[in-house]
Amino acid sequence: MLLPFTLILFTLQFTTSMNTGKPGCLTKCGEVTVPYPFGIQKGCSIDDSFELTCDTTSNPRKLFLNTSQNIEIYSINISGSDMKVSNSVAYNCYNKSGDIATDEDFTQIQYNLQNTPFTFSQKNKFTVIGCDDFAIIEGKSRVNFSGSCVGICSKKSDVRNGECSGIGCCQTPIPKGVKSYVAGVSSFNNRTDVKSFNPCSIAFLGDTESFRFRGAPDLFINYTDVVRRNSVVPMVIDWEIGGNGGCAQATECKGNSFCNDTGMGGYNCICNQGYEGNPYLDPGCIDINECLDKQKYPCYGDCINTEGSYGCTCKPGYTGNGTIPDNCRLNVISGGSKFPAKVFSLALVFGSLAILSGITGIFLAIRKRKLIKLRKTFFEKNGGLFLQQKLNAPEATYAVTLFTTEELQKATDNYSEELIVGRGGYGLVYKGILPDKRVVAIKKSILVDGTQAEQFIHEVSIITQVIHRNVVKLLGCCLEEKVPVLVYEFISNNTLFYHLHHRSGGMSWLSWENRLRVAAEAASALAYLHSQATMPIIHRDVKSANILLDENYTAKISDFGASRLVPLDHDQVTTLVQGTLGYLDPEYFHTSQLTDKSDVYSFGMVLAELITGKKTISADRTNHEKHLATYFVKSMKENRLLQILEPQLLREGTLEQLQTVAELVKRCLNLLGEDRPTMREVAMELEGLRKFTTHPWFPQQTPEKSRSLTLEVEQYDLYDVSLIPYSSNEY
Ligand SMILES: *[C@@H]1O[C@H](CO)[C@@H](O)[C@H](O)[C@H]1NC(C)=O
Ligand SMILES: *[C@@H]1O[C@H](CO)[C@@H](O)[C@H](O)[C@H]1NC(C)=O
Ligand SMILES: *[C@@H]1O[C@H](CO)[C@@H](O)[C@H](O)[C@H]1NC(C)=O
Ligand SMILES: *[C@@H]1O[C@H](CO)[C@@H](O)[C@H](O)[C@H]1NC(C)=O
Ligand SMILES: *[C@@H]1O[C@H](CO)[C@@H](O)[C@H](O)[C@H]1NC(C)=O
Ligand SMILES: *[C@@H]1O[C@H](CO)[C@@H](O)[C@H](O)[C@H]1NC(C)=O
Ligand SMILES: *[C@@H]1O[C@H](CO)[C@@H](O)[C@H](O)[C@H]1NC(C)=O
Ligand SMILES: *[C@@H]1O[C@H](CO)[C@@H](O)[C@H](O)[C@H]1NC(C)=O
């Protein structure tokens, strides 16, 4: 009884799989179709790395990637060169009594696709769901990268369905070509205030298309639910053929297909337009008969399929466009005209040429006028008139250069990709050379919306007045573009963050003495900003990535994109919380009340980074020590300070000095702003310590010359504004 049934099934499989797998190869595993170049038997795939594992013990059968990790494949898409697979989530759940619901630690997950033809697709985003949570992802593509996300809310009604915007849900993209990653999630406050409606922290890398934030129901997911869903989500993985050489090595693309370089060493075959099928198998892609699919290829007249395309004409005796409904009209021009046909067509050609060039001329003129008008609009929208007014005012004491679009285009070779020296969430920084040969950094940001224009101009004018050895000079701006473009002096030696965390081996200039000097310089600049007579400036985004180093390794504070001016009669202002995770003052975070002590906290984090050599947030440390602040303070309390300091410093500094700086860090990280020292006190203390270390009888060591003046493109922010803005209208 069973036999005929299975037979039919098999014939069906083989006939429909004409163009799916190699002859004689199985192309189904359970519900999933396995097209060539993949295979589930020996010799059926393009090479060993495309051989998949079909688990025959489960019902229905399940398909897995051949890796040590359990990655189940849900579907494979040949034309998209990708597939959908399962991916584990990192989570941490609390039960009603406030205990962690499981003994095992699931707060961290890691995946490694190194040495496989697979990479994590950019169709995924790193997502965190929770109301008291932050999550980090660190991984490797061509460069190392890390990203973080914060989910906050204080009550259920804050969250909006379908909107993943930092309130209860946060998403961040990953770079191209990621082969491995570690992700971890942890909560700020042990869910103390939120566990009634949000028992779990959840973070995952997942397919953006499959995920839509449902609001409260997603926050209400508890431990039982997570386990019931096997704690997996769909994710997209890209695949490529060949290890290196891209299309140059391609031998596999069959008829009517082309080779597409992935840019990561390998390639994919793609059917030409108008063709479909499997481009990796003979005979290759076949012509689509468009006339059979009126839905996708509409035709209201006569449809004729051609190779790679199709024609659609009106029925004989009618003219018009057959692909548009009711466009075909009865021919009225019937019978010949008296004009000799040749003369007629010649006149027609010349006539239309003349008209055409006329139209083109008019068109170009209109376009130019439009462009000028557009620039004027931008100039006004960006607050240009307001700035001009300020500059022309009799009491104006400063100069801001207003650059034109052309000048900056010329300086950056039309914003050439090759001149990009910094890239951050909020814009790009280009290296440029002005006609007078000055080298400048040009920041094309996207920070201003129309309503902020005045504020922006106000800040531009204030910051151009800030003249301090350790503050990056703003030279001018260009307001004729859609977003204001800022022009800074060019600082050649990268950021402190880079030197602390990315320099690759070798001798370093980061001696104890130099670290103290850089810290003292940065502190004095911040103290200067805070003490501005007319209006104190709060930087708001102090971090090691915003401390640049020039050719003499002198520190320069950069990026005032987030800064706020505090009118003298207020000692605090209420703002949207903004800053960078890892440096953000927890008090400011909870109250939205910005004071100069927030900068002190962030600077304390920079100091901690300087003496430990550790990042402010790291997935490598255990759950409660992910944040360097906690880790640092805890280590000091437990008398383990010496174990967490950069070993080099133990050799170079005295115990007393190191302890003094550590105490200073601790005071800066005080949870209550008023208990922190002022920036001036910090600067003076550091300066005092420095005097103590500079031995005049030792020749000053000249800093090691930088390897190269061309900066590498970095993942973190150079001259850039905050990484994660989020509003917290509840606090
Ligand atoms: C799995 O992949 C490895 C390396 O790519 C290969 O050596 C091995 O034969 C594969 N195993 C199976 C069952 O395909
Ligand atoms: C496969 O990928 C192509 C190209 O990205 C896309 O248009 C198509 O919808 C995908 N097919 C499926 C079934 O997802
Ligand atoms: C919460 O979890 C802890 C530890 O797993 C357990 O001892 C306790 O009974 C649980 N409480 C409730 C209310 O489930
Ligand atoms: C990436 O980080 C690892 C350590 O986690 C380091 O060994 C490697 O050199 C780094 N690669 C780059 C390109 O910075
Ligand atoms: C969170 O809980 C851990 C251990 O359960 C504890 O060590 C830590 O101090 C708590 N943190 C906060 C902010 O309550
Ligand atoms: C988890 O949530 C489900 C509903 O989503 C509920 O039925 C179940 O009782 C909850 N489990 C616990 C332990 O609270
Ligand atoms: C070709 O590859 C690039 C990545 O290198 C990708 O962005 C693009 O979509 C691919 N083209 C097609 C037609 O799939
Ligand atoms: C007919 O209309 C379609 C859709 O509007 C357009 O793409 C096509 O170019 C038109 N064909 C001709 C011959 O004008």
Side-chain angles (χ1 to χ4, degrees):
M1 274 308 280
L2 219 77
L3 207 63
F5 182 67
T6 27
L7 245 174
I8 289 168
L9 207 78
F10 265 83
T11 37
L12 249 179
Q13 259 188 20
F14 282 131
T15 46
T16 56
S17 67
M18 276 279 295
N19 211 18
T20 306
K22 272 188 164 178
C25 288
L26 282 171
T27 57
K28 276 263 181 194
C29 173
E31 311 275 293
V32 187
T33 304
V34 184
Y36 188 82
F38 294 90
I40 46 182
Q41 301 141 289
K42 270 265 160 288
C44 281
S45 58
I46 196 165
D47 62 35
D48 282 351
S49 57
F50 279 80
E51 195 174 308
L52 306 175
T53 309
C54 187
D55 177 9
T56 51
T57 59
S58 59
N59 186 16
R61 298 174 171 194
K62 286 181 176 172
L63 187 64
F64 289 93
L65 267 192
N66 168 24
T67 60
S68 53
Q69 277 153 321
N70 250 9
I71 301 182
E72 187 187 344
I73 300 172
Y74 302 138
S75 65
I76 300 175
N77 187 344
I78 289 288
S79 57
S81 311
D82 60 19
M83 55 190 175
K84 278 217 173 109
V85 303
S86 70
N87 188 24
S88 297
V89 306
Y91 63 92
N92 192 22
C93 293
Y94 286 72
N95 66 15
K96 286 208 179 73
S97 57
D99 296 307
I100 294 178
T102 156
D103 292 335
E104 254 183 284
D105 185 2
F106 294 102
T107 56
Q108 193 155 312
I109 42 168
Q110 50 181 312
Y111 276 96
N112 191 347
L113 297 175
Q114 226 61 260
N115 305 320
T116 71
F118 310 113
T119 49
F120 298 101
S121 172
Q122 289 194 287
K123 289 178 185 139
N124 302 305
K125 276 188 177 160
F126 184 55
T127 307
V128 54
I129 301 173
C131 279
D132 181 33
D133 299 299
F134 72 87
I136 337 167
I137 182 166
E138 282 178 359
K140 283 198 192 121
S141 52
R142 281 228 186 101
V143 289
N144 292 342
F145 81 97
S146 69
S148 49
C149 234
V150 178
I152 334 208
C153 39
S154 53
K155 49 182 162 44
K156 225 182 345 187
S157 54
D158 286 353
V159 296
R160 257 166 282 162
N161 295 358
E163 201 175 302
C164 189
S165 62
I167 303 171
C169 175
C170 164
Q171 286 189 317
T172 185
I174 59 167
K176 185 180 157 103
V178 175
K179 285 273 189 195
S180 67
Y181 76 85
V182 186
V185 65
S186 83
S187 68
F188 284 112
N189 206 13
N190 289 358
R191 318 211 78 68
T192 309
D193 305 322
V194 301
K195 59 175 178 283
S196 63
F197 60 92
N198 176 218
C200 292
S201 314
I202 298 174
F204 55 85
L205 184 66
D207 177 23
T208 346
E209 260 183 25
S210 318
F211 173 70
R212 191 170 160 276
F213 183 50
R214 291 178 307 162
D218 280 342
L219 293 173
F220 203 62
I221 289 174
N222 59 25
Y223 177 63
T224 332
D225 300 329
V226 173
V227 172
R228 203 180 54 229
R229 293 170 198 200
N230 288 329
S231 67
V232 297
V233 291
M235 171 175 70
V236 185
I237 282 182
D238 293 329
W239 46 269
E240 62 175 6
I241 314 277
N244 48 51
C247 283
Q249 50 157 1
T251 50
E252 300 296 333
C253 298
K254 307 295 190 206
N256 301 319
S257 75
F258 66 92
C259 176
N260 190 24
D261 243 307
T262 59
M264 295 179 294
Y267 66 89
N268 293 114
C269 301
I270 313 272
C271 286
N272 292 339
Q273 181 141 28
Y275 292 85
E276 66 186 356
N278 191 329
Y280 299 96
L281 276 180
D282 276 326
C285 303
I286 47 170
D287 176 46
I288 300 172
N289 188 347
E290 289 87 352
C291 294
L292 297 182
D293 190 352
K294 289 260 155 61
Q295 203 122 43
K296 219 161 148 196
Y297 309 97
C299 182
Y300 303 91
D302 287 334
C303 185
I304 305 148
N305 184 35
T306 61
E307 270 290 308
S309 180
Y310 74 111
C312 176
T313 54
C314 292
K315 298 209 168 347
Y318 290 77
T319 48
N321 188 336
T323 62
I324 303 172
D326 298 329
N327 194 275
C328 294
R329 303 247 170 265
L330 200 60
N331 255 338
V332 279
I333 314 163
S334 51
S337 103
K338 295 234 164 71
F339 248 136
K342 249 190 193 147
V343 176
F344 179 73
S345 54
L346 264 181
L348 199 74
V349 167
F350 280 107
S352 25
L353 266 182
I355 291 169
L356 212 92
S357 61
I359 289 176
T360 319
I362 293 169
F363 185 72
L364 285 180
I366 290 177
R367 229 177 67 163
K368 185 146 184 221
R369 183 126 40 94
K370 259 200 180 149
L371 200 68
I372 292 173
K373 209 171 135 206
L374 194 66
R375 282 187 188 172
K376 199 157 156 268
T377 318
F378 286 145
F379 184 79
E380 283 166 18
K381 206 181 107 241
N382 290 331
L385 294 182
F386 185 71
L387 183 63
Q388 260 177 354
Q389 214 175 23
K390 288 197 76 134
L391 287 174
N392 292 336
E395 72 275 12
T397 53
Y398 53 90
V400 182
T401 311
L402 288 177
F403 293 95
T404 64
T405 303
E406 283 81 13
E407 277 171 319
L408 295 190
Q409 274 172 353
K410 219 164 149 195
T412 54
D413 200 5
N414 212 358
Y415 294 108
S416 158
E417 285 265 337
E418 281 165 21
L419 292 174
I420 295 179
V421 294
R423 208 191 277 274
Y426 277 116
L428 293 174
V429 181
Y430 298 82
K431 181 178 177 177
I433 300 177
L434 297 179
D436 62 7
K437 298 275 182 292
R438 262 188 304 170
V439 183
V440 290
I442 297 176
K443 176 173 165 185
K444 233 180 158 188
S445 57
I446 42 171
L447 81 159
V448 176
D449 68 37
T451 57
Q452 290 176 317
E454 264 188 32
Q455 174 77 3
F456 167 77
I457 293 302
H458 200 52
E459 286 179 16
V460 166
S461 62
I462 290 286
I463 287 157
T464 41
Q465 287 182 91
V466 173
I467 296 164
H468 189 281
R469 205 174 93 84
N470 302 114
V471 173
V472 174
K473 269 201 219 52
L474 178 68
L475 303 175
C477 56
C478 170
L479 303 175
E480 293 178 358
E481 302 202 16
K482 197 163 174 192
V483 290
V485 180
L486 301 178
V487 181
Y488 293 92
E489 67 174 319
F490 186 75
I491 308 295
S492 57
N493 231 339
N494 226 317
T495 66
L496 182 60
F497 182 90
Y498 173 85
H499 288 279
L500 279 173
H501 306 300
H502 284 242
R503 85 202 128 97
S504 44
M507 216 320 259
S508 152
W509 66 277
L510 273 172
S511 60
W512 172 235
E513 199 174 317
N514 276 332
R515 282 180 209 232
L516 260 186
R517 179 179 51 77
V518 166
E521 285 171 348
S524 85
L526 288 171
Y528 169 82
L529 293 173
H530 289 181
S531 67
Q532 276 298 302
T534 42
M535 231 185 242
I537 300 170
I538 298 179
H539 187 286
R540 282 225 294 181
D541 201 14
V542 175
K543 55 178 172 177
S544 57
N546 276 338
I547 298 176
L548 307 184
L549 296 163
D550 73 2
E551 66 277 12
N552 300 318
Y553 291 84
T554 301
K556 305 258 185 189
I557 299 274
S558 81
D559 184 8
F560 295 83
S563 313
R564 281 289 170 274
L565 303 159
V566 184
L568 267 190
D569 49 342
H570 296 70
D571 54 0
Q572 54 184 30
V573 285
T574 306
T575 67
L576 283 184
V577 175
Q578 203 175 347
T580 301
L581 190 67
Y583 297 89
L584 191 62
D585 169 14
E587 189 184 51
Y588 168 44
F589 178 75
H590 282 291
T591 61
S592 302
Q593 298 293 318
L594 179 68
T595 71
D596 54 1
K597 294 295 178 66
S598 297
D599 278 357
V600 175
Y601 182 93
S602 307
F603 184 77
M605 288 310 302
V606 174
L607 265 187
E609 219 179 330
L610 256 178
I611 61 175
T612 61
K614 295 181 170 43
K615 290 190 185 169
T616 53
I617 287 188
S618 166
D620 292 343
R621 295 192 288 269
T622 60
N623 199 13
H624 296 293
E625 298 179 345
K626 284 198 171 84
H627 197 296
L628 181 58
T630 330
Y631 180 55
F632 191 93
V633 172
K634 195 162 162 237
S635 300
M636 268 185 88
K637 210 183 275 168
E638 296 170 358
N639 265 326
R640 286 191 293 118
L641 176 66
L642 296 188
Q643 286 159 37
I644 66 165
L645 293 184
E646 176 89 53
Q648 184 195 357
L649 303 186
L650 297 177
R651 294 191 296 272
E652 295 177 0
T654 67
L655 189 59
E656 204 184 348
Q657 289 174 333
L658 292 169
Q659 259 163 354
T660 313
V661 176
E663 282 297 330
L664 185 59
V665 170
K666 201 173 139 196
R667 278 194 287 144
C668 291
L669 298 186
N670 215 313
L671 286 179
L672 286 179
E674 59 190 65
D675 290 347
R676 296 174 202 151
T678 64
M679 215 53 234
R680 177 145 305 281
E681 282 161 3
V682 174
M684 275 163 56
E685 200 155 321
L686 288 170
E687 198 52 49
L689 272 175
R690 259 192 86 198
K691 292 233 172 69
F692 204 53
T693 59
T694 28
H695 311 291
W697 54 88
F698 275 141
Q700 275 278 319
Q701 202 182 338
T702 45
E704 171 205 0
K705 266 273 156 264
S706 70
R707 283 183 300 283
S708 132
L709 286 188
T710 52
L711 296 179
E712 291 163 47
V713 173
E714 295 298 340
Q715 285 295 323
Y716 48 84
D717 309 353
L718 181 64
Y719 295 90
D720 204 89
V721 294
S722 61
L723 201 63
I724 310 155
Y726 36 80
S727 52
S728 63
N729 33 17
E730 251 323 294
Y731 291 111

